[in-house]
Amino acid sequence: MSTYVYGITAGSHPSLPDGMDGVGDPAREVRIIKEGELAAVVSDAPEGLRPKRKDLLAHQNVLAETGAGGPVLPMRFGSVSPDDAAVTHVLAERADHFKERLDVLAGKVEYNVKATHDEEAVLHRVMSENPEVRALTEANRGAGGGSYDDKLRLGEMVVAAVKNREVEDAAEIQQALEPVAAAVSVGPESTGWLANLSFLVDRESAEAFIAAVEEVRKAHPHLDLRVHGPLPPYSFVEPGPSEPAEAHN
């Protein structure tokens, strides 16, 4: 039977609560596989696993319980290995790497910060910052709205100015928050977000990080900032002893 992998810990990691349930319906019991100085938190992998809310929460709960006892390298939902032997093989093969990552991530959590523009506020800022846009807007207004070509030119100028503002704002967010984080990972570009950044933060510095986010929010009222965390440090763990199961909507 395939083995579902939740995360990797040190072999000396405290035992998990008896009878802890993981993913699946019925839920599979979570267990520990040890290899040398490392251990993997696993369960039997259910067939046809899909990213349903119940299973996503079960995955997160196992990682939360494990993380409460010490550092854990979290695997993403759907990480499956052919069997227990394959898991122990990878633990042995990549032991030095996993131990190094456990040391680096000890006492740290992840915060994900996404940003979008408040449309009305950013247009106001673009107008105030760009004399050419402002002048053409006033000229069009004085001409009763302006010609088709003038309107088209103005629209193109505004779009370009907003795009430039997006690039500048993303850089400013990263520059403002990097000093209060141990590391930063730039997430994949996605429609609707001008910034998608994950920060590795010491648990003891979490309040300072959140305070820094609030300062960014106050200094950039044209931005809508979304903060998610604390999270297991998914963005700072290289793929481990597994291949992700296919995700279906």
Side-chain angles (χ1 to χ4, degrees):
M1 175 176 286
S2 298
T3 302
Y4 187 97
V5 185
Y6 300 88
I8 297 169
T9 69
S12 58
H13 196 89
S15 298
L16 297 175
D18 291 336
M20 177 185 289
D21 288 335
V23 298
D25 187 16
R28 273 48 172 186
E29 184 173 344
V30 177
R31 51 195 172 81
I32 301 292
I33 299 174
K34 291 189 176 183
E35 171 61 34
E37 298 178 36
L38 295 170
V41 182
V42 307
S43 69
D44 291 342
E47 294 184 6
L49 181 65
R50 300 291 184 270
K52 297 179 181 177
R53 177 176 172 79
K54 174 180 176 295
D55 289 318
L56 290 168
L57 291 175
H59 182 94
Q60 294 174 9
N61 180 62
V62 172
L63 286 173
E65 290 284 352
T66 306
V72 56
L73 304 183
M75 298 294 106
R76 294 189 181 276
F77 178 85
S79 296
V80 175
S81 197
D83 52 32
D84 287 7
V87 175
T88 57
H89 173 74
V90 175
L91 290 179
E93 184 178 60
R94 305 190 65 198
D96 290 343
H97 167 74
F98 289 140
K99 285 186 284 187
E100 182 271 336
R101 296 313 298 167
L102 284 167
D103 288 341
V104 168
L105 299 182
K108 296 181 177 66
V109 293
E110 178 176 328
Y111 282 88
N112 177 254
V113 178
K114 290 185 173 71
T116 59
H117 275 150
D118 178 288
E119 185 174 349
E120 183 175 345
V122 76
L123 288 176
H124 179 76
R125 179 155 185 166
V126 164
M127 291 284 291
S128 66
E129 292 179 340
N130 194 312
E132 190 176 1
V133 171
R134 188 165 62 251
L136 184 55
T137 300
E138 292 172 355
N140 284 359
R141 186 181 297 119
S147 67
Y148 173 80
D149 287 341
D150 287 338
K151 292 178 181 178
L152 182 62
R153 179 166 169 252
L154 177 60
E156 291 173 344
M157 289 173 62
V158 169
V159 169
V162 169
K163 287 293 184 184
N164 288 337
R165 187 73 256 170
E166 287 181 353
V167 174
E168 293 174 5
D169 285 335
E172 289 177 15
I173 294 168
Q174 184 170 339
Q175 291 168 7
L177 299 180
E178 272 187 311
V180 287
V184 60
S185 174
V186 179
E189 293 184 7
S190 57
T191 303
W193 303 110
L194 65 90
N196 178 15
L197 303 167
S198 292
F199 295 89
L200 187 65
V201 178
D202 286 311
R203 287 183 184 275
E204 296 179 355
S205 302
E207 289 186 10
F209 180 82
I210 295 300
V213 172
E214 290 305 315
E215 289 300 316
V216 172
R217 186 176 276 125
K218 291 177 183 176
H220 299 75
H222 62 292
L223 290 178
D224 179 11
L225 291 180
R226 311 284 179 89
V227 183
H228 299 281
L231 305 167
Y234 292 112
S235 299
F236 302 91
V237 180
E238 294 182 12
S242 51
E243 293 294 334
E246 294 184 4
H248 296 264
N249 293 326

